[in-house]
Amino acid sequence: MCTRAVDSILKLNRTGDLQIEPLQGPGVAERLRIPPSQLLESNWWLDTSGAVYAGAEATNAAVSAAIGTTLPLKLYRIPGIRSLQDAVYRWVAGHRYRFPGKTPYCESHPTAC
């Protein structure tokens, strides 16, 4: 599920500025400024200003960076939208291993991990 989501965001990459790396990569927890034990609890996004986002907000921030507009992140910040997206994200994340998907990123890209 996670690999498929990353691939989908990369397909939207109009800016060419996205830098995606696996959470299992060296130094990721330090760059995100979170404990290593929290890495796999969510998806994460570190933007160019140094702000760190998690979960549905991270997905919106990544899509915003990919398409070159802050519109997805602005829409996410609308109270009702935020609550809905957060709930959907938590449900999908909690059931991610039940979804058909691709080979896990680290298996398909071992040198990146």
Side-chain angles (χ1 to χ4, degrees):
M1 180 70 187
C2 299
T3 302
R4 181 177 284 172
V6 167
D7 288 346
S8 296
I9 291 171
L10 287 172
K11 286 178 186 174
L12 296 174
N13 188 11
R14 295 181 194 159
T15 64
D17 294 335
L18 292 186
Q19 295 180 358
I20 304 291
E21 60 183 291
L23 294 175
Q24 299 88 341
V28 173
E30 292 79 18
R31 283 191 297 285
L32 294 172
R33 298 177 309 278
I34 62 169
S37 61
Q38 290 182 358
L39 273 176
L40 299 180
E41 290 179 7
S42 181
N43 63 329
W44 300 90
W45 183 256
L46 174 64
D47 75 9
T48 56
S49 73
V52 177
Y53 302 95
E57 187 174 29
T59 302
N60 282 281
V63 170
S64 290
I67 64 175
T69 178
T70 59
L71 185 60
L73 202 49
K74 287 179 180 177
L75 290 173
Y76 168 78
R77 292 185 175 146
I78 297 170
I81 302 292
R82 176 189 296 255
S83 299
L84 178 63
Q85 285 191 10
D86 286 346
V88 170
Y89 178 85
R90 283 190 306 274
W91 186 87
V92 169
H95 296 87
R96 68 183 173 266
Y97 296 112
R98 294 181 181 193
F99 290 94
K102 301 173 90 175
T103 303
Y105 189 84
C106 286
E107 285 181 36
S108 59
H109 302 84
T111 58
C113 299

